Amino acid sequence: MFEEATVYSPVIRQDSGTVSVVFAEEHPGAQDPDYQRHRAVIAELALNYRVGEPVPEVQYTAAEIELWGMVVADLQAKHRRYASAEFLDGSRRLALPTDRLPQLREVSDRVRALTGFHFTPAAGIVGLADFYGSLADGRFQATQYIRHSSLPRFSPEPDMVHEVVGHGNALANQRLAALYRRVGQAARRASGTEALEALSQVFWFTMEYGLVREDGVPKAYGASLLSSVGELEQFRTAVEVRPLDLPAMLHQAYSVEDFQPVLFCAESFDELEAFYAAFLPSIEAGEPALIRA
Ligand SMILES: [Fe+2]
């Protein structure tokens, strides 16, 4: 997901045509030239991609396949305890493998058959209007690289684990997919940066970090929570959980590099849908007073 843009490793295509990825000093792959070369190859595939083409295949390393299996199996075990019913429904339908690392194309085809959503590759930062707008077409722009093996439990960058385990499982559920698509339609109709930023802020606290109460217990449906072993261990005990509250959500600061200090919990999935049904028309109408209420 693309609000994480501030911690994205920028992708550069030089005049010579060479593609490189720029890693910050603190990035876990900063001292790993093999990883950096691999990331550049994957980034170039995405840069060369045009909508409508088949999703390109990535040659994953044995270490990446092993990392995927380990992290995804760990996450799936935690999902059984901490994920919401809608997310678990998507997860059952999508049935991601852990004994191999699926290509994004395979996952995309499967999700498309389930809910009409599909994936296309993204090299790095995608603008808000482009990223959210493409959801209206049932298109989710996703990275194809895997987090660095030295930090398997949390990735500040949105890698394949985040995109496929977090968003893919959500997009395999009809109710969640319908909400993603509705967000996309609002983004298409929105005018102005302020409206898109408000939409992005609400998306962050719902589709990335959202909770919904089931039998009195907060369960996760947000993709960032459900794709991070560390976040899933943290959210039950150490964060402040608030009810859905648009003004509070719009003014709540968040961290892309650490665990979230505040999460928002819907009382039911019906309440989440009603929340979006009330909020999105204000984005489409470009009502700053309402957006910043
Ligand atoms: Fe995301």
Side-chain angles (χ1 to χ4, degrees):
M1 240 312 300
F2 290 58
E3 291 94 330
E4 297 98 319
T6 50
V7 290
Y8 251 96
S9 304
V11 175
I12 295 170
R13 193 199 290 269
Q14 288 155 355
D15 291 343
S16 64
T18 305
V19 173
S20 56
V21 182
V22 181
F23 292 91
E25 257 178 51
E26 61 274 20
H27 190 285
Q31 307 302 323
D32 185 343
D34 288 341
Y35 180 77
Q36 294 180 16
R37 275 192 292 272
H38 187 49
R39 285 281 299 264
V41 169
I42 296 170
E44 187 167 6
L45 288 173
L47 285 181
N48 293 339
Y49 176 80
R50 296 292 173 265
V51 173
E53 296 175 351
V55 177
E57 282 211 0
V58 172
Q59 299 302 312
Y60 293 107
T61 66
E64 285 174 328
I65 294 166
E66 186 183 354
L67 180 71
W68 165 273
M70 185 186 73
V71 173
V72 176
D74 198 355
L75 285 171
Q76 287 176 344
K78 289 189 162 49
H79 290 170
R80 287 191 279 276
R81 296 177 63 191
Y82 301 134
S84 72
E86 285 73 20
F87 186 89
L88 287 173
D89 168 76
S91 176
R92 272 191 297 273
R93 288 163 179 268
L94 189 55
L96 289 170
T98 55
D99 58 343
R100 61 189 178 85
L101 203 173
Q103 290 290 329
L104 187 62
R105 187 191 303 181
E106 174 190 340
V107 178
S108 180
D109 289 347
R110 182 108 181 99
V111 174
R112 193 198 288 265
L114 292 167
T115 65
F117 259 88
H118 65 287
F119 287 92
T120 56
I125 296 171
V126 178
L128 292 182
D130 182 9
F131 177 75
Y132 289 110
S134 63
L135 299 178
D137 303 326
R139 183 164 70 92
F140 192 97
Q141 301 188 54
T143 60
Q144 289 184 275
Y145 59 80
I146 301 292
R147 61 194 61 186
H148 194 260
S149 57
S150 64
L151 194 60
R153 291 161 60 83
F154 177 81
S155 174
E157 291 183 294
D159 70 341
M160 265 280 284
V161 174
H162 172 73
E163 310 287 31
V164 165
V165 179
H167 293 294
N169 282 328
L171 290 170
N173 171 261
Q174 292 288 0
R175 290 182 86 179
L176 279 162
L179 277 181
Y180 275 74
R181 195 181 285 268
R182 185 69 189 89
V183 165
Q185 290 164 347
R188 281 271 167 81
R189 294 174 188 143
S191 58
T193 308
E194 191 180 22
L196 280 174
E197 286 176 353
L199 183 64
S200 173
Q201 180 90 0
V202 168
F203 191 92
W204 175 267
F205 284 114
T206 55
M207 296 314 184
E208 294 291 352
Y209 281 94
L211 302 174
V212 59
R213 206 172 296 281
E214 290 178 4
D215 299 324
V217 179
K219 296 288 181 82
Y221 64 88
S224 290
L225 277 178
L226 290 160
S227 59
S228 165
V229 175
E231 294 268 17
L232 278 173
E233 288 171 353
Q234 182 86 359
F235 91 91
R236 306 275 297 198
T237 55
V239 295
E240 181 186 345
V241 176
R242 293 185 184 168
L244 286 186
D245 177 335
L246 181 59
M249 212 178 263
L250 291 175
H251 292 100
Q252 178 62 48
Y254 60 79
S255 167
V256 292
E257 297 179 58
D258 207 347
F259 301 126
Q260 299 306 309
V262 174
L263 299 177
F264 292 88
C265 184
E267 287 307 308
S268 64
F269 208 84
D270 287 346
E271 190 198 36
L272 177 68
E273 289 171 333
F275 176 83
Y276 262 111
F279 167 63
L280 292 177
S282 72
I283 293 293
E284 293 167 325
E287 297 170 11
L290 188 55
I291 294 166
R292 288 288 167 199

